[in-house]
Amino acid sequence: MSEPSVFTRILQGEIPSEIIAQTDRVFAIRDIAPQAPVHLLVIPKSADYRDVVELAAGDPSLLAEMVELAAVLAAEHADGDFRLIFNRGAGAGQTVFHVHAHVLAGSLSEGSLGG
Ligand code: AMP
């Protein structure tokens, strides 16, 4: 068994972080190191999927639920427009291998990924 991910530990209350929204299967927190005026993470409660490719193959409806919550949060925290980023693999910058979507919103510039 591998160690629980940082996101599982947040969900279980072992690491402090405000859960800003949740459904039965998905929850959202603020990224601890924001790269945009609004930078949220939308995360499945289950740690079964390491990245978005595994998730899309294994449970596409859960992926759709993540996108749905991202849209709701972008409307609540910004003007409804948002950028959705999934890092897949260490070479792409993935550091937490419990699939999560970065939701970036609020005055994003066109040229860069983050802000
Ligand atoms: P990634 O690099 O795509 O795996 O994204 C992991 C993200 O998790 C990074 O943007 C981190 O800033 C964020 N992160 C790591 N630990 C925490 C934490 N305790 N609370 C909130 N966000 C975190």
Side-chain angles (χ1 to χ4, degrees), residues 6-7 10 29-33 41 87 93-96 100 102:
V6 62
F7 301 142
I10 287 171
I29 59 174
R30 289 188 182 81
D31 197 291
I32 203 169
L41 299 173
N87 293 324
Q94 187 174 4
T95 56
V96 180
H100 54 281
H102 296 258

Side-chain angles (χ1 to χ4, degrees), residues 3-19 27 29-30 32 96:
E3 291 288 303
S5 75
V6 62
F7 301 142
T8 296
R9 296 183 67 201
I10 287 171
L11 187 63
Q12 292 175 346
E14 293 170 15
I15 294 178
S17 179
E18 184 190 353
I19 294 176
F27 70 106
I29 59 174
R30 289 188 182 81
I32 203 169
V96 180

Side-chain angles (χ1 to χ4, degrees), residues 13-108:
E14 293 170 15
I15 294 178
S17 179
E18 184 190 353
I19 294 176
I20 58 172
Q22 61 180 317
T23 66
D24 283 352
R25 297 206 293 165
V26 177
F27 70 106
I29 59 174
R30 289 188 182 81
D31 197 291
I32 203 169
Q35 306 289 317
V38 175
H39 185 170
L40 310 175
L41 299 173
V42 173
I43 309 160
K45 290 181 176 176
S46 156
D48 288 348
Y49 302 102
R50 287 167 54 85
D51 62 50
V52 67
V53 176
E54 286 188 7
L55 176 62
D59 193 344
S61 73
L62 181 54
L63 176 57
E65 229 176 284
M66 291 172 70
V67 175
E68 202 176 321
L69 184 57
V72 168
L73 290 170
E76 280 176 12
H77 292 261
D79 64 1
D81 293 345
F82 63 98
R83 188 169 295 156
L84 196 63
I85 295 175
F86 291 89
N87 293 324
R88 196 270 181 150
Q94 187 174 4
T95 56
V96 180
F97 292 85
H98 172 164
V99 63
H100 54 281
H102 296 258
V103 182
L104 305 178
S107 309
L108 300 177

